[in-house]
Amino acid sequence: MGICPCWNFRLFELGFLRNPVVFSQRQLLRTYYAAAASSALLNDSLVFDESPPLVEVSVVDEVKVPSNSSCGRRRRKLYPFVVRVFKTLDWEVVREMRFSKAVKQYGFPCSIHAFRIIVHVFASQGMLTEVYNLLRAIVYFCKATNSDAFELFPQLLDSPLNVAGSAVVFDVLIKVFASNTMLENAVDVFMQAKKNGLVPDIRSCNFLLKCLVESNRVELVTGLFEDMKDSGPSPNVYTYTIMMNFYCRGHDAQELDIRRATEILEEMEKIGKRPTVVTYGTYIHGLCKVGYVDVALRVLEEMRTHGILPDVFSYSVLIDGFFKMGKIEKGLDLLEEMGHYQIKPSVVSYSSLFYSLCRSGQVDISLNTFRNLVDTGYEFDGIAYDILIKGFCIQGDMDSAEELYEEMIGNNIVPSAFTFDNLINCFYKMNHFEKALKFLNIMLQCGFMPDIITCNIIVDGYCKEGCLDAALKFMDEMQYQGAILNSYTYGAVINGLCKEGQSEKAWELLPVMFKKNLFKEVVHYSILIDGFAKNSNFKKALMIYTRMLKVGVTPDVVTYTILINLFCRRGEMFEAFSLFKEMTGKGIEGDAVSYTSIIAGFCRVREMKKALELYDEMLRKDLSPNVVTYTCLIHGYCMLSRMDIADRLLNDMKKNDVAPDIVTYTAMIGGYWRVGSVGKALELFSEMKVKGIAPDDTFSRVVTLFHTGLFTKEEAE
């Protein structure tokens, strides 16, 4: 067993030289090598005789006598363990004294001193696995006790006068820190090693660089890479490939930078580092992600000119890029080219083809291609089935989608959550809610949780079916399973309850929504206000509106229209018109519905002048009055016996292609009847029947009897 000369100090610390005499450096090394060569020369009873003081000898043969500190006494108690390891190099001996156990018994300073010696002994013999495990135990201890791991570098340094002996140790320490996501510590070891004249091994640096990339540590990645180029170790092909991946993959804090990736490739070629197939493949992937598929194809051709045959990954990402752009023919050419080079296309490549065909509406062709490939021996995974199922779902062919699902099961391919989500969503859209529930139950039995979109679809479906209790029960079950419902989920239930006249039950959901900060959308407030308004609960409708303003939610045109309607129905036109002016004053433009609401309110209280002014304002704003707007105005003027204005409004209505309905005709006929224009009333009645508008039974019977002379005008009224 060869031992490096860096250990000349350690023999005296261990007490290998029992007598306090001065040895020259050459004698010391000879004694050390002899001791290392034969474990028989080491006798524990002699080596650990504690009666003589410990002596530390320097290379200049100066005798130093250490103080009789408690740490010194503790250190001597650790020496039998250290010597056993030194004599045997047996890992089982080390396991008897874990670092945390040593610290508990002897304290951290003495323990780190002893383990430093053991680490360097193993390192000198190339036992890197043991070095890694020892350093990991020390790092874990620091992490668990919140100790300053940045201090480990000086504590593990063999000797300031012999830093070269610590190179391997710090290479391993970098890996330990990096693999345990202590990346700042790893970078610190890298920097401290270089300050002490050590150049870390390129493999350790590449490992650290890779970990930094995976953790999206943008500044540390670029800093380490530049430092390596400036002062070593010189980046190799693998280093550049890591950086290529960094710029081509994109990260949370680092967008895909194809320009920088191109510079990396150019830099490699400039300094004579030949890119590998992985480097090129990564670059091709990046180009395809940003849509430069044609450029990526030229890179593929460049690979071949450099004698590098593209692999299945390079082809697959390029084929996927062409298919996603809709260039199916180009992708098929590349699939054929793969066969020419005897590269078997992967399932992923064909899945990209299926996706492209399905997206372009060629689901049948995609299915036929799938069947042919299965016949030639391809075994597809669930992804291919998912693509085909979604393709049929988009086309509305749910029978074919369900058949493929059954085929998956028959081939022992477990459907994914994506499969179920697609089927549930599409069955719901096709108004097959029972089928959607069927697949939901299967999904839950398979142990999959529906995503929030699917949850909302199920809740919405229950609400539309009028099964509100089932919707609430489903919501409770999903939350129990850990699903996080959103504001849309609750909004659907609130809307359903309000439509069913159960506004009070919707009110009970508010505390839960407030607690989860989900009751913050203007639509939720509007639904509840409308619900209570329709239930004639004026007090709670205004209470919600007040709460809305208090929490800073700005009412929209729908909210204002609901409130305006509420006041109009109560005949409180001052309040209604105040809200209307408030709405427009806030820059919220009224629409045809809001104008119709306020016009109807004024017509109801016979303030026709104000109603007509608002009607004219509508026209100036290019808002088209609807049948309700005209009918309200016509009815109002008919009740005032102003048939001239009512008739003008009816003509405007027809001129603007707004067809009168039964209510409009009834108002006009009643108005003419009231002023004694029976002929005009009968004329409108005939016009109504010609247009296919059937009057209700009572109205029809009265007009018919009057027309035959069996009923007088006074009796009809």
Side-chain angles (χ1 to χ4, degrees):
M1 177 178 69
I3 304 295
C4 64
C6 64
W7 291 95
N8 52 352
F9 303 107
R10 299 295 166 251
L11 291 173
F12 294 100
E13 292 178 331
L14 288 169
F16 284 174
L17 300 181
R18 182 170 177 270
N19 296 317
V21 294
V22 177
F23 284 83
S24 68
Q25 184 179 9
R26 184 176 299 173
Q27 289 172 312
L28 175 60
L29 293 177
R30 190 162 53 245
T31 304
Y32 189 97
Y33 279 111
S38 176
S39 60
L41 296 178
L42 289 174
N43 184 290
D44 290 351
S45 62
L46 295 177
V47 171
F48 294 100
D49 181 0
E50 295 186 11
S51 54
L54 290 175
V55 179
E56 183 169 322
V57 180
S58 70
V59 292
V60 293
D61 296 340
E62 179 184 354
V63 178
K64 295 182 180 179
V65 181
S67 62
N68 293 320
S69 63
S70 60
C71 184
R73 291 191 296 272
R74 287 183 175 184
R75 187 179 297 175
R76 289 195 293 272
K77 291 181 180 179
L78 264 174
Y79 288 157
F81 161 66
V82 176
V83 171
R84 285 181 62 201
V85 176
F86 185 83
K87 289 168 57 178
T88 63
L89 296 178
D90 189 350
W91 179 249
E92 293 302 319
V93 175
V94 180
R95 293 182 64 180
E96 294 175 11
M97 179 66 74
R98 295 188 305 274
F99 183 73
S100 57
K101 179 181 177 182
V103 173
K104 187 175 181 181
Q105 293 182 7
Y106 304 108
F108 183 81
C110 298
S111 300
I112 194 68
H113 176 80
F115 273 77
R116 178 186 68 202
I117 296 170
I118 296 171
V119 164
H120 281 273
V121 167
F122 282 135
S124 68
Q125 296 304 301
M127 301 171 67
L128 299 186
T129 301
E130 287 77 4
V131 172
Y132 184 91
N133 289 330
L134 281 170
L135 292 177
R136 183 175 59 180
I138 295 170
V139 167
Y140 279 0
F141 175 84
C142 292
K143 201 172 184 179
T145 58
N146 293 321
S147 301
D148 188 359
F150 287 100
E151 292 298 319
L152 286 181
F153 183 90
Q155 291 166 339
L156 291 171
L157 190 63
D158 179 33
S159 166
L161 300 177
N162 188 29
V163 293
S166 300
V168 174
V169 173
F170 293 121
D171 279 331
V172 177
L173 184 59
I174 287 173
K175 292 180 180 178
V176 172
F177 276 134
S179 60
N180 286 281
T181 65
M182 300 173 70
L183 299 174
E184 289 86 355
N185 298 92
V187 173
D188 180 68
V189 172
F190 171 84
M191 300 305 295
Q192 288 201 59
K194 295 183 78 172
K195 286 179 182 177
N196 282 273
L198 296 173
V199 178
D201 183 73
I202 185 62
R203 289 169 296 182
S204 300
C205 295
N206 284 342
F207 181 75
L208 172 56
L209 191 64
K210 180 174 175 288
C211 292
L212 291 170
V213 167
E214 290 172 352
S215 298
N216 301 331
R217 304 300 297 272
V218 179
E219 292 184 2
L220 292 179
V221 169
T222 54
L224 178 63
F225 182 59
E226 293 303 320
D227 193 275
M228 289 172 67
K229 289 196 293 183
D230 290 343
S231 56
S234 180
N236 60 14
V237 173
Y238 184 51
T239 317
Y240 280 102
T241 302
I242 293 171
M243 294 304 297
M244 179 67 77
N245 180 55
F246 175 65
Y247 289 113
C248 286
R249 190 178 69 180
H251 308 278
D252 295 336
Q254 170 77 23
E255 294 183 359
L256 194 153
D257 189 345
I258 203 66
R259 181 191 62 81
R260 188 70 186 95
T262 305
E263 290 174 357
I264 289 289
L265 195 64
E266 291 171 350
E267 186 176 317
M268 288 183 72
E269 294 171 346
K270 184 178 179 180
I271 62 175
K273 301 289 185 185
R274 188 179 182 186
T276 66
V277 65
V278 177
T279 319
Y280 277 117
T282 306
Y283 184 51
I284 288 171
H285 192 203
L287 288 167
C288 291
K289 286 176 75 173
V290 294
Y292 296 160
V293 184
D294 292 323
V295 177
L297 181 60
R298 291 203 299 272
V299 174
L300 191 79
E301 293 166 353
E302 180 184 327
M303 289 175 68
R304 285 196 287 267
T305 61
H306 286 81
I308 301 173
L309 183 64
D311 60 2
V312 67
F313 174 78
S314 303
Y315 273 109
S316 295
V317 295
L318 190 52
I319 289 168
D320 182 63
F322 278 117
F323 283 151
K324 283 181 178 177
M325 290 184 68
K327 297 182 178 181
I328 298 175
E329 291 298 325
K330 197 67 178 176
L332 291 173
D333 289 343
L334 285 171
L335 282 171
E336 185 178 344
E337 184 178 303
M338 289 179 74
H340 176 73
Y341 287 106
Q342 296 182 336
I343 301 173
K344 185 179 180 180
S346 66
V347 169
V348 175
S349 300
Y350 282 117
S351 295
S352 298
L353 172 61
F354 303 149
Y355 175 81
S356 181
L357 289 170
C358 288
R359 192 177 63 172
S360 62
Q362 303 178 68
V363 186
D364 291 334
I365 296 175
S366 181
L367 181 61
N368 290 335
T369 306
F370 173 78
R371 297 283 185 229
N372 292 334
L373 288 168
V374 170
D375 291 342
T376 61
Y378 271 91
E379 294 183 2
F380 288 95
D381 56 12
I383 295 174
Y385 278 100
D386 283 341
I387 292 168
L388 291 166
I389 287 172
K390 185 172 183 179
F392 282 115
C393 286
I394 291 172
Q395 285 195 346
D397 186 354
M398 299 310 297
D399 290 336
S400 297
E402 197 168 1
E403 285 177 12
L404 277 171
Y405 166 79
E406 296 295 342
E407 184 179 311
M408 280 182 79
I409 302 299
N411 291 334
N412 294 318
I413 298 174
V414 179
S416 66
F418 182 80
T419 312
F420 289 112
D421 284 331
N422 264 327
L423 288 167
I424 293 167
N425 295 354
C426 291
F427 273 120
Y428 171 78
K429 289 176 183 176
M430 299 292 293
N431 296 318
H432 298 308
F433 188 56
E434 289 185 3
K435 282 273 190 180
L437 289 178
K438 168 194 166 183
F439 280 101
L440 172 70
N441 290 328
I442 298 172
M443 182 181 193
L444 295 173
Q445 289 169 12
C446 291
F448 293 114
M449 281 290 293
D451 61 17
I452 187 60
I453 296 174
T454 304
C455 285
N456 290 343
I457 280 174
I458 296 299
V459 170
D460 196 53
Y462 276 129
C463 291
K464 286 180 178 177
E465 294 285 323
C467 305
L468 297 168
D469 289 337
L472 291 168
K473 183 180 178 182
F474 174 74
M475 287 170 64
D476 288 340
E477 289 177 355
M478 289 299 99
Q479 289 182 104
Y480 179 77
Q481 295 293 332
I484 301 175
L485 305 180
N486 60 17
S487 59
Y488 183 91
T489 324
Y490 284 95
V493 175
I494 288 173
N495 189 39
L497 290 168
C498 289
K499 282 184 177 179
E500 293 289 322
Q502 301 183 52
S503 302
E504 292 294 339
K505 198 165 186 178
W507 179 271
E508 294 172 5
L509 292 174
L510 296 193
V512 178
M513 295 185 72
F514 285 137
K515 185 178 180 181
K516 295 182 177 181
N517 195 29
L518 295 177
F519 196 70
K520 55 186 179 181
E521 302 291 337
V522 64
V523 64
H524 298 149
Y525 286 96
S526 298
I527 289 170
L528 269 176
I529 292 170
D530 186 54
F532 283 115
K534 287 176 179 176
N535 288 341
S536 301
N537 195 330
F538 181 72
K539 183 179 178 180
K540 279 196 174 175
L542 287 185
M543 189 184 300
I544 294 169
Y545 177 64
T546 304
R547 164 84 187 189
M548 182 181 189
L549 299 178
K550 185 177 179 181
V551 299
V553 177
T554 304
D556 60 9
V557 66
V558 176
T559 319
Y560 276 113
T561 302
I562 293 168
L563 288 165
I564 289 167
N565 261 328
L566 179 60
F567 282 109
C568 286
R569 285 201 300 269
R570 292 167 60 89
E572 299 175 4
M573 292 310 300
F574 176 80
E575 290 79 3
F577 192 56
S578 295
L579 277 172
F580 186 81
K581 289 192 294 183
E582 179 185 308
M583 176 182 73
T584 54
K586 288 182 176 178
I588 302 172
E589 290 294 330
D591 56 11
V593 178
S594 59
Y595 270 96
T596 299
S597 296
I598 194 70
I599 288 170
F602 280 118
C603 290
R604 192 176 288 114
V605 296
R606 305 294 183 265
E607 292 189 33
M608 299 308 299
K609 181 180 179 182
K610 191 64 183 173
L612 197 59
E613 287 175 0
L614 287 165
Y615 167 74
D616 291 336
E617 187 178 304
M618 274 187 81
L619 298 179
R620 288 196 302 272
K621 291 187 175 182
D622 292 327
L623 294 173
S624 300
N626 56 32
V627 65
V628 178
T629 319
Y630 283 113
T631 301
C632 288
L633 287 164
I634 289 170
H635 181 262
Y637 280 109
C638 286
M639 293 303 292
L640 294 177
S641 299
R642 290 296 307 271
M643 298 309 297
D644 55 334
I645 301 177
D647 196 51
R648 190 190 78 196
L649 286 166
L650 182 64
N651 290 331
D652 287 348
M653 190 177 186
K654 294 175 180 178
K655 182 180 177 181
N656 293 323
D657 295 324
V658 180
D661 60 9
I662 178 63
V663 181
T664 318
Y665 278 110
T666 301
M668 288 294 295
I669 292 170
Y672 278 117
W673 199 322
R674 192 173 292 105
V675 297
S677 299
V678 178
K680 188 67 175 175
L682 292 175
E683 181 183 325
L684 284 171
F685 181 69
S686 299
E687 179 185 309
M688 184 175 71
K689 288 196 296 182
V690 169
K691 290 187 175 182
I693 301 173
D696 59 47
D697 292 340
T698 303
F699 182 79
S700 181
R701 188 166 54 253
V702 169
V703 173
T704 302
L705 288 172
F706 179 80
H707 187 61
T708 58
L710 299 176
F711 226 44
T712 66
K713 173 193 163 191
E714 288 74 18
E715 288 174 324
E717 289 180 338

